[in-house]
Amino acid sequence: ADNSQPSLAGKWTLIYTDAPDITSLQSTPTAKLGRIGQECKPPYIKNVIEWRRPDWAAGLPFSGTDDSRIIQKVCTKGKASPSKPQQVDLDLAGIELESPSSGSGNLLEDIQNNGFPVGLLQANPVQLEGPLTTYFGRQTILFLDEDFRIVRTNQGFIAANVRDEEDWF
């Protein structure tokens, strides 16, 4: 018999949540919300948000194309105790901003082709992680198999994720 347990490790895409801090992202005027996911590489759990150019900015110079994307990662460190392995405490550890597409190596060309923020991040991705962490929250794993996961936040909200088929971040 196979006694292996499913793992949180890997990349996951959010398919449902009722958490207002996530659902409210759709009304951000300065960027268009793309996909939301998580990258789990224990002890790190990174909450990933894909931002795209808003429709209203399509005609503006240096605003990029429909394919221009910025990936924001809120980096946390997770820990669970052996007595409660389904309960994961999260500490905020840093933030990352990047463009998932590689640039040409020419900053001005990248800004012209992909827009100012994307072109800038292609040349200069941001990765901020300090020596100190602060409490971020807790999630309880309600269900986990190799392809699907459901968690409840410490505020009582639900998030359902599927393991990524496509490598979008």
Side-chain angles (χ1 to χ4, degrees), residues 26 31-36 49-52 69-70 168:
Q26 299 221 6
K32 184 177 181 180
L33 181 64
R35 294 168 280 197
I36 297 174
I49 303 169
E50 175 186 57
W51 296 106
R52 295 181 170 272
R69 304 182 304 142
I70 291 174
W168 62 271

Side-chain angles (χ1 to χ4, degrees), residues 7-12 38-47 73 76-78 96 149 163 167 169:
S7 172
L8 279 178
K11 293 182 176 183
W12 299 84
Q38 276 191 336
E39 180 179 25
C40 301
K41 290 182 185 175
Y44 291 98
I45 298 174
K46 297 179 181 182
N47 297 315
K73 296 181 181 180
T76 65
K77 283 186 178 177
E96 297 175 10
R149 179 185 70 182
R163 195 174 295 275
D167 194 18
F169 63 87

Side-chain angles (χ1 to χ4, degrees), residues 45-107:
I45 298 174
K46 297 179 181 182
N47 297 315
V48 181
I49 303 169
E50 175 186 57
W51 296 106
R52 295 181 170 272
R53 181 192 66 200
D55 295 335
W56 60 263
L60 296 177
F62 307 113
S63 66
T65 68
D66 288 340
D67 296 327
S68 299
R69 304 182 304 142
I70 291 174
I71 300 294
Q72 173 187 340
K73 296 181 181 180
V74 177
C75 307
T76 65
K77 283 186 178 177
K79 58 184 175 268
S81 71
S83 63
K84 291 185 179 180
Q86 75 283 1
Q87 187 173 295
V88 181
D89 287 311
L90 302 168
D91 289 333
L92 183 62
I95 189 167
E96 297 175 10
L97 294 169
E98 62 188 41
S99 170
S101 57
S102 58
S104 67
N106 180 319
L107 179 60

